[in-house]
Amino acid sequence: MVNAAIVILAGTESHADTGRLVNGLEAAKEFAENDDDELELIFDGAGTQWVEELEDEDHDYYDLYESVQDEVAVCDHCAGAFGVDDAVEDQGLVRIDENEGHPSIRSMVDDDYEIITF
């Protein structure tokens, strides 16, 4: 059994950012497909911008996102800061705010999660 927390920090501005998103989603899918693994998939910082983009069924990575959407959580503070509150609400995503509005990386480490950032 593996505990993994995948944190998508890459924004939506460049081809390299898209590459980090796809790599993060592919890694998340691999963990999600293993019933023995525990997965946290967190969109944080500029990465929260992807939530709005990926809700579009015509997006190239919509299907990949949909395959792991049940695992998605979003930084509460950053969703507001990057203007994606409505998309987060529309998708019914979990908001994380235990560290002054942000996810607590320390708590995940304390719970034996490997933190993987993209």
Side-chain angles (χ1 to χ4, degrees):
M1 180 175 149
V2 174
N3 294 333
I6 295 176
V7 183
I8 308 283
L9 296 165
T12 59
E13 295 181 2
S14 72
H15 185 68
D17 290 335
T18 302
R20 284 190 286 280
L21 167 76
V22 173
N23 287 325
L25 293 177
E26 287 288 351
K29 183 178 176 186
E30 184 177 8
F31 286 108
E33 290 174 343
N34 187 333
D35 292 336
D36 293 331
D37 292 346
E38 292 292 325
L39 171 65
E40 297 282 338
L41 174 56
I42 301 167
F43 286 81
D44 198 358
T48 59
Q49 296 168 326
W50 286 109
V51 171
E52 185 170 46
E53 287 208 16
L54 293 169
E55 74 180 343
D56 178 0
E57 293 179 11
D58 293 329
H59 194 282
D60 289 343
Y61 300 108
Y62 173 82
D63 290 336
L64 180 58
Y65 176 69
E66 280 291 302
S67 74
V68 294
Q69 190 174 19
D70 289 344
E71 310 298 332
V72 172
V74 180
C75 174
D76 185 51
H77 175 81
C78 294
F82 286 91
V84 296
D85 280 322
D86 290 342
V88 170
E89 188 169 320
D90 290 347
Q91 294 180 43
L93 301 176
V94 172
R95 293 173 177 264
I96 303 176
D97 64 357
E98 68 265 344
N99 182 25
E100 298 182 20
H102 300 276
S104 173
I105 300 299
R106 190 207 175 278
S107 293
M108 287 183 281
V109 170
D110 189 46
D111 289 337
D112 295 323
Y113 276 78
E114 297 290 331
I115 310 297
I116 306 165
T117 59
F118 290 91

